[in-house]
Amino acid sequence: MERGNPWKQLPDGPLIAPSLLACDFARVGEQIDLLTAAGARLLHVDIMDGHFVPNLSMGPSFVRSVRRYTDLPLDVHLMLTDPATYIERFAEAGADSITFHVEAADDPHRLIGRLRELGLGAGVTLRPATGCEALADLTADVDLVLVMTVEPGYGGQEFMDNMLEKIVSVRGMLKGAQRVEVDGGINVRTARLCAARGADVFVAGTDILGSDDVAGAMGDLREAIAGAGAGG
Ligand code: DX5
Ligand code: ZN
């Protein structure tokens, strides 16, 4: 795929974004091959600084290695206290789209403007406790809003059912091609619930890479989403 804003090139309708946080870091390439063979159209990359969230994950060098390894678009989720300082480095490393937390951005409009200047996809996200009003004057300028369905910081957590209403609210704030991404505790049950409320990009780590059958797990998720009437 030609580099640039992936949300302008990826098909409309539901997409599953496997989260590399759930990878066995000693076998990332092999697991990316499994995901690609299972029909993944993009990969979700969680960047944690041990400050904004109580965990450390990967940095620009990991993104650069994955970039060299695959052509799949990289959907980079920044869980950093100071996203502004790192946007260029992740862009240079090969990120295709960057999503940052509204709680961490002093000037979110300026950040979105820089992502546009870099030709990247732009997304904003919010912690479970943060209300949609925090997005009020931002939604017009982004490709997606990522609704966290767990407290950011770890994979393998339980889905928070009380986030389902927020998906409906966010969907209502967005226009046509803009996407609602959900992240955290996504599996067959929760993907169906999210799809029925307007989500169309589904991040899943443990459910896919924690399974012995990556292709089967992706197929089950697709079916669940289609079952919610959203197609797959
Ligand atoms: C959590 C991350 C998620 C996480 C999802 O802070 O943003 O992307 O990797 O993992 P699962 O699907 O295992 O909840
Ligand atoms: Zn994430």
Side-chain angles (χ1 to χ4, degrees):
M1 175 179 273
E2 185 214 326
R3 303 262 67 91
N5 181 350
W7 307 109
K8 301 278 181 248
Q9 300 164 31
L10 286 161
D12 289 343
L15 294 164
I16 296 167
S19 168
L20 298 186
L21 187 70
C23 267
D24 168 351
F25 286 174
R27 300 172 39 232
V28 177
E30 199 186 306
Q31 294 189 305
I32 290 174
D33 294 345
L34 286 175
L35 293 168
T36 308
R41 303 296 300 269
L42 73 164
L43 299 173
H44 184 81
V45 187
D46 291 305
I47 309 299
M48 303 175 180
D49 65 356
H51 194 263
F52 181 76
V53 290
N55 193 8
L56 283 169
S57 62
M58 337 67 175
S61 49
F62 177 84
V63 171
R64 192 170 296 108
S65 304
V66 172
R67 175 71 300 146
R68 271 200 300 270
Y69 191 85
T70 178
D71 253 352
L72 288 177
L74 302 182
D75 167 37
V76 173
H77 174 191
L78 298 185
M79 287 160 272
L80 308 178
T81 296
D82 181 15
T85 301
Y86 289 91
I87 282 190
E88 266 80 12
R89 275 185 249 181
F90 283 102
E92 187 270 323
D96 295 290
S97 182
I98 291 180
T99 297
F100 62 89
H101 274 266
V102 289
E103 304 92 347
D106 300 335
D107 186 348
H109 284 290
R110 199 165 66 81
L111 278 190
I112 294 165
R114 281 168 64 197
L115 291 172
R116 294 306 185 206
E117 282 159 20
L118 292 161
L120 299 186
V124 287
T125 182
L126 56 185
R127 289 179 186 274
T130 305
C132 294
E133 61 284 354
L135 301 170
D137 64 347
L138 284 177
T139 50
D141 310 331
V142 295
D143 299 293
L144 70 100
V145 171
L146 167 57
V147 176
M148 288 304 306
T149 47
V150 296
E151 195 53 49
Y154 297 94
Q157 298 182 77
E158 190 74 24
F159 180 89
M160 298 168 70
D161 282 27
N162 60 348
M163 288 300 109
L164 289 169
E165 280 158 47
K166 193 189 266 183
I167 297 169
V168 177
S169 310
V170 168
R171 180 82 269 168
M173 296 168 82
L174 298 181
K175 304 243 174 343
Q178 293 179 297
R179 320 231 182 187
V180 177
E181 186 171 25
V182 287
D183 186 9
I186 298 299
N187 55 33
V188 163
R189 179 187 79 85
T190 58
R192 188 179 287 127
L193 294 172
C194 294
R197 287 162 180 79
D200 46 22
V201 183
F202 304 81
V203 176
T206 313
D207 187 67
I208 298 173
L209 288 160
S211 151
D212 299 335
D213 177 7
V214 165
M218 293 232 350
D220 293 347
L221 276 177
R222 271 194 208 98
E223 239 175 78
I225 294 163

